[in-house]
């Protein structure tokens, strides 16, 4: 099957609600502590922040999804317009179709539709063995991207009918590419999460961010199995988004994704230690409308915890319960740090 055909299948299957994990992100185990006396004006709350050298309206972005087909072009154009309208970063899907075939380039050429926002290119880590650095550099330049996200997807590749499962030497390839490129590099998962050991290792390279893309949102094991994948039993495999954020943010600047479905999830991700939140699946439909909804919710959370800007939201006290608290204890994470802290 051609890569393009696979990309369209991914979108069609992923769109269905059945493509989502039954397992949760862990955000349901987290509560903000309500502040009955915020001494703030809701309309003066500052959600703006900086990301990849650009000012954006809130710490939320549209996560990597697609490219390479007529359908992908339509989606990327709609996402680019929404990103510009709401002033949030846009991450594009894997550049593999473009690297294999110049004719696929037009679906990634959306810079003119979103001139003001950070635009992020994307490539699979295991595919770094196939392409030389110059070729990747050219593709980033051609599409006028501000950064490159390299995705780790061992779960997906191991279920995918055409999956590439030789991950030997991938870390070295990531380190070399991050050294060579002029643009910042992000390393992301694709929904199965990044733990502290991997984050620590990646923090020793020149990469700038880890995007945890944890368990609780889109399940790539489910999507690939529905495409005729190799094996069942891994539908709920992965590391939860909330736990991954807590761990990764100790070692490197962190983007939170995987099951972020509203502005309250995004706020929890920031309070747990992420600098940015990101979602993919929700933005397949009505992206601008959903971004507005995320923004309004995020603003209200900040009002209700007494945080006037994003720096203050990062200090908001949190109550952490249940399975997430248990996992944090097992991993020697100082659970008691989150509840007594105060916004300064
Ligand atoms: C239709 C679709 C296509 C995707 N394609 C890519 C991709 O090409 N590269 C990538 O790094 N991640 C890709 N992802 C994974 C997302 O970027 C994200 O890591 C994952 O879906 C978890 O986020 P979510 O729960 O908000 O969807 C894709 C996700 C969706 C829904």
């Amino acid at each position: 099957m051609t890569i393009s055909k696979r990309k369209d299948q991914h979108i069609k299957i992923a769109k269905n609600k059945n493509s989502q994990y039954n397992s949760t992100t862990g955000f349901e185990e987290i509560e903000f502590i309500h502040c009955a006396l915020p001494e703030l004006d809701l309309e003066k709350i500052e959600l703006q922040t900086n990301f990849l050298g650009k000012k954006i309206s809130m710490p939320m972005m549209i996560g990597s999804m697609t490219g390479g087909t007529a359908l992908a072009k339509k989606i990327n154009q709609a996402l680019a317009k929404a990103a510009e309208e709401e002033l949030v970063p846009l991450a594009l899907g894997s550049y593999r179709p473009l690297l294999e075939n110049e004719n696929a380039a037009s679906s990634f050429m959306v810079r003119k539709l979103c001139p003001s926002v950070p635009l992020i290119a994307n490539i699979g880590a295991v595919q770094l063995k196939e392409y030389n650095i110059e070729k990747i550099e050219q593709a980033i330049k051609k599409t006028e991207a501000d950064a490159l996200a390299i995705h780790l997807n061992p779960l997906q590749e191991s279920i995918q009918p055409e999956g590439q499962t030789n991950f030997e030497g991938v870390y070295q390839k990531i380190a070399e590419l991050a050294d060579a490129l002029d643009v910042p590099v992000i390393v992301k998962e694709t929904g199965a999460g990044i733990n502290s050991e991997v984050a620590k290792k990646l923090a020793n390279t020149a990469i700038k961010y880890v995007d945890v893309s944890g368990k609780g949102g889109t399940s790539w094991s489910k999507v690939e199995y529905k495409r005729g994948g190799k094996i069942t039993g891994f539908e709920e495999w992965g590391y939860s988004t909330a736990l991954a954020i807590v761990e990764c943010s100790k070692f490197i600047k962190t983007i939170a994704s995987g099951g972020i479905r509203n502005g309250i999830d995004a706020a929890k991700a920031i309070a747990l230690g992420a600098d940015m939140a990101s979602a993919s699946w929700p933005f397949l439909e009505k992206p601008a409308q959903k971004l507005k909804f995320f923004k309004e919710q995020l603003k209200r959370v900040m009002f209700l915890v007494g945080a006037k800007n994003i720096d203050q939201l990062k200090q908001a006290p949190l109550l952490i319960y249940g399975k997430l608290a248990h996992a944090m204890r097992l991993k020697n994470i100082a659970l008691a740090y989150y509840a007594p802290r105060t916004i300064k």
Side-chain angles (χ1 to χ4, degrees):
M1 177 181 295
T2 61
I3 296 174
S4 300
K5 199 153 176 219
R6 185 156 87 222
K7 293 285 149 191
D8 278 356
Q9 275 194 352
H10 279 160
I11 294 166
K12 282 178 193 139
I13 297 171
K15 251 189 173 176
N16 195 301
K17 251 206 144 122
N18 296 336
S19 68
Q20 303 293 292
Y21 276 96
N22 294 329
S23 317
T24 55
T25 54
F27 291 137
E28 74 288 353
E29 308 274 24
I30 301 171
E31 269 180 17
F32 280 106
I33 297 181
H34 173 68
C35 172
L37 192 59
E39 291 282 330
L40 294 172
D41 177 348
L42 177 70
E43 294 314 323
K44 287 190 196 151
I45 304 265
E46 293 164 20
L47 284 85
Q48 304 87 333
T49 187
N50 289 306
F51 183 58
L52 300 172
K54 291 184 175 165
K55 203 164 192 157
I56 54 172
S57 69
M58 63 173 162
M60 179 74 217
M61 70 179 199
I62 302 174
S64 300
M65 277 195 279
T66 199
T69 69
L71 173 64
K73 183 174 177 173
K74 213 171 128 197
I75 294 173
N76 281 346
Q77 289 179 343
L79 295 175
K81 282 183 203 156
E84 184 69 18
E85 197 178 310
E86 293 304 315
L87 209 69
V88 299
L90 169 64
L92 295 169
S94 169
Y95 274 33
R96 198 172 173 199
L98 184 162
L99 294 168
E100 305 257 317
N101 177 358
E102 271 296 305
N103 294 334
S106 72
S107 59
F108 296 93
M109 304 294 283
V110 293
R111 175 48 104 188
K112 284 196 172 57
L113 297 172
C114 57
S116 319
V117 305
L119 184 65
I120 303 165
N122 186 288
I123 183 75
V126 75
Q127 275 95 42
L128 294 181
K129 296 198 226 179
E130 293 168 34
Y131 306 115
N132 64 37
I133 290 176
E134 290 72 36
K135 199 164 176 183
I136 296 169
E137 215 163 20
Q138 277 167 15
I140 296 169
K141 281 214 175 82
K142 188 181 171 93
T143 53
E144 298 175 66
D146 300 288
L148 173 71
I150 303 173
H151 67 259
L152 301 170
N153 62 344
L155 172 65
Q156 180 185 17
E157 299 283 356
S158 72
I159 310 294
Q160 187 177 92
E162 327 67 352
Q164 286 178 257
T165 46
N166 182 357
F167 271 64
E168 281 172 0
V170 162
Y171 173 72
Q172 190 56 32
K173 287 283 172 195
I174 294 172
E176 283 167 16
L177 185 59
D179 261 340
L181 290 181
D182 290 336
V183 296
V185 171
I186 299 163
V187 172
K188 71 185 286 290
E189 237 287 348
T190 46
I194 294 180
N195 71 21
S196 53
E197 287 309 303
V198 175
K200 206 194 294 184
K201 211 169 155 184
L202 289 167
N204 285 327
T205 71
I207 74 155
K208 294 285 186 288
Y209 287 91
V210 152
D211 176 344
V212 304
S213 198
K215 175 168 85 167
T218 309
S219 163
W220 281 94
S221 160
K222 286 190 179 182
V223 174
E224 295 298 352
Y225 189 65
K226 279 185 203 122
R227 286 188 56 243
K230 287 175 185 152
I231 193 163
T232 184
F234 294 86
E235 293 74 8
E236 301 299 321
W237 180 275
Y239 208 58
S240 86
T241 297
L243 192 54
I245 297 167
V246 171
E247 295 203 345
C248 292
S249 59
K250 285 194 192 328
F251 299 103
I252 188 161
K253 283 188 170 202
T254 297
I255 301 168
S257 74
I260 293 200
R261 295 294 176 258
N262 53 56
I264 304 171
D265 289 344
K268 287 178 180 175
I270 304 291
L272 276 183
D275 287 286
M276 283 285 296
S278 168
S280 296
W281 187 77
F283 299 127
L284 278 170
E285 273 165 3
K286 302 193 174 126
Q289 194 178 316
K290 285 189 185 146
L291 284 165
K292 281 192 180 80
F293 168 67
F294 272 64
K295 203 175 278 175
E296 287 304 317
Q297 283 189 323
L298 181 58
K299 191 157 93 176
R300 276 165 183 77
V301 170
M302 291 169 69
F303 177 63
L304 295 172
V305 299
K308 69 171 185 233
N309 55 36
I310 299 298
D311 280 342
Q312 290 197 341
L313 177 62
K314 287 182 182 171
Q315 305 159 10
L318 297 172
L319 294 168
I320 303 179
Y321 303 105
K323 203 171 146 188
L324 178 60
H326 184 66
M328 287 170 73
R329 271 186 223 105
L330 291 175
K331 295 226 57 185
N332 286 330
I333 296 164
L335 191 58
Y337 160 71
Y338 298 91
R341 67 185 184 181
T342 52
I343 291 174
K344 288 181 205 85

